[in-house]
């Protein structure tokens, strides 16, 4: 095979691969968008739950600190 023929084959292979990639991107777009939405929603819910848990822990620490102050005062 000549050099020109190899270049044509490589170019054709790249074009086929690019076409397959583009087709997969179009087909998979709704699925990837849905997965991203689920991931963001999950992260948001985890953050809200974490914030609530921190609030409860901080309230408990405040209560312990108040109890310690009260015991020191006695």
């Amino acid at each position: 095979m000549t050099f020109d023929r190899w270049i044509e084959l490589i170019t054709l292979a790249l074009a086929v691969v690019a076409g397959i990639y583009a087709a997969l991107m179009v087909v998979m777009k709704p699925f990837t968008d849905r997965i991203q939405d689920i991931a963001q929603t999950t992260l948001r819910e985890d953050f809200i739950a974490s914030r609530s848990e921190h609030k409860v822990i901080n309230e408990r620490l405040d209560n312990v600190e108040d109890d310690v102050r009260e015991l020191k005062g006695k």
Side-chain angles (χ1 to χ4, degrees), residues 26-57:
V26 169
V27 169
M28 296 300 292
K29 181 72 172 156
F31 299 114
T32 55
D33 288 346
R34 182 69 181 135
I35 290 171
Q36 186 177 9
D37 290 342
I38 290 169
Q40 286 177 354
T41 302
T42 302
L43 286 174
R44 189 176 305 118
E45 290 171 355
D46 288 347
F47 177 72
I48 291 169
S50 175
R51 190 169 45 180
S52 298
E53 290 170 2
H54 283 279
K55 184 177 179 183
V56 169
I57 290 169

Side-chain angles (χ1 to χ4, degrees), residues 49-66:
S50 175
R51 190 169 45 180
S52 298
E53 290 170 2
H54 283 279
K55 184 177 179 183
V56 169
I57 290 169
N58 284 336
E59 289 173 1
R60 288 182 182 175
L61 284 174
D62 290 342
N63 292 340
V64 169
E65 289 173 353
D66 292 342

